[in-house]
Amino acid sequence: MRFPDRLRLPFAFDPDALERDLTAATAQAWTPHFVAQNYEGDWSAIPLRSVAGTRDQHPIRQIYSDPVATAFEDAPALDRCPYFRQVISAFRCPVRCVRLMRLAPGSVIKEHTDLGLDAESGTARIHVPILTGPGVVFEVNRRPVPMAPGSAWYLRLSDPHRVENRGPRERVHLVLDADVDRWLESLLDEAAAAVA
């Protein structure tokens, strides 16, 4: 693979502004993740950008990041979240789906792989932690990825990964799926060079 399985990207987003927008977004209900065999406890999402035409469909259709979709639209929750819009616009590449993903205390995302979710296949998943803590363990290839609020990370999730929330509060990430174009490829190269 051209890129490592994790790269911290050169962004530092405002944790307080992220939390403010999280509060605004959660006026909408969380939707349980649709792959129930991949977790124990409560793993749920709120769509902020989804496949075009799903706005009036079942919430599961709104949080699903369809790999063959070509048209996307902002969800109503994003209207209440100006800082999330600013974060998304910092990625000057085609952004596909964007979701808030929550893992409740005591919950576990079991080890699994997500086919095609790697930069080399053309789609990068980027995590921006909003709420996290020392009780949260996110592993890729059985090695922890220490993600602080406001940081941004590319993770190669076509590799085995798992998450546990052993802490007392929920873990919430802003999760973006993006097409790997020249701009994003350059950003990943820059991040890889910084850790080489």
Side-chain angles (χ1 to χ4, degrees):
M1 291 287 194
R2 175 175 173 187
F3 298 109
D5 65 3
R6 84 257 344 253
L7 285 170
R8 182 168 183 171
L9 303 178
F11 295 106
F13 299 113
D14 181 344
D16 293 331
L18 289 168
E19 280 200 51
R20 279 193 300 275
D21 274 16
L22 174 61
T23 299
T26 53
Q28 177 175 335
W30 293 91
T31 298
H33 197 284
F34 50 91
V35 187
Q37 70 267 22
N38 280 0
Y39 66 97
E40 295 172 0
D42 179 1
W43 184 25
S44 53
I46 291 176
L48 297 176
R49 182 171 171 76
S50 54
V51 174
T54 60
R55 183 176 288 195
D56 298 322
Q57 296 181 6
H58 192 281
I60 287 176
R61 289 278 299 139
Q62 296 170 34
I63 65 170
Y64 175 55
S65 185
D66 186 341
V68 298
T70 57
F72 303 88
E73 63 187 4
D74 292 343
L78 194 56
D79 293 339
R80 301 186 296 274
C81 304
Y83 193 67
F84 288 166
R85 281 190 184 279
Q86 191 176 331
V87 171
I88 294 164
S89 69
F91 294 90
R92 298 191 309 271
C93 54
V95 175
R96 300 173 59 84
C97 290
V98 181
R99 314 173 277 306
L100 293 168
M101 300 194 81
R102 176 182 70 172
L103 189 65
S107 300
V108 173
I109 302 171
K110 300 174 187 177
E111 186 173 80
H112 67 286
T113 59
D114 293 309
L115 186 64
L117 270 182
D118 55 78
E120 291 81 4
S121 296
T123 304
R125 179 158 288 172
I126 297 160
H127 279 247
V128 177
I130 301 173
L131 300 178
T132 191
V136 174
V137 179
F138 194 127
E139 293 180 349
V140 178
N141 290 314
R142 303 209 171 153
R143 293 185 308 123
V145 184
M147 295 183 274
S151 62
W153 291 80
Y154 159 71
L155 303 172
R156 189 171 63 229
L157 298 182
S158 59
D159 287 0
H161 58 282
R162 63 185 298 278
V163 189
E164 287 186 23
N165 185 355
R166 304 173 187 151
R169 66 187 290 201
E170 62 187 10
R171 183 225 71 166
V172 180
H173 285 190
L174 178 65
V175 179
L176 302 87
D177 288 348
D179 289 334
V180 180
D181 65 356
R182 282 183 163 176
W183 179 87
L184 185 51
E185 198 172 88
S186 175
L187 184 75
L188 296 173
D189 280 333
E190 177 185 341
V195 295

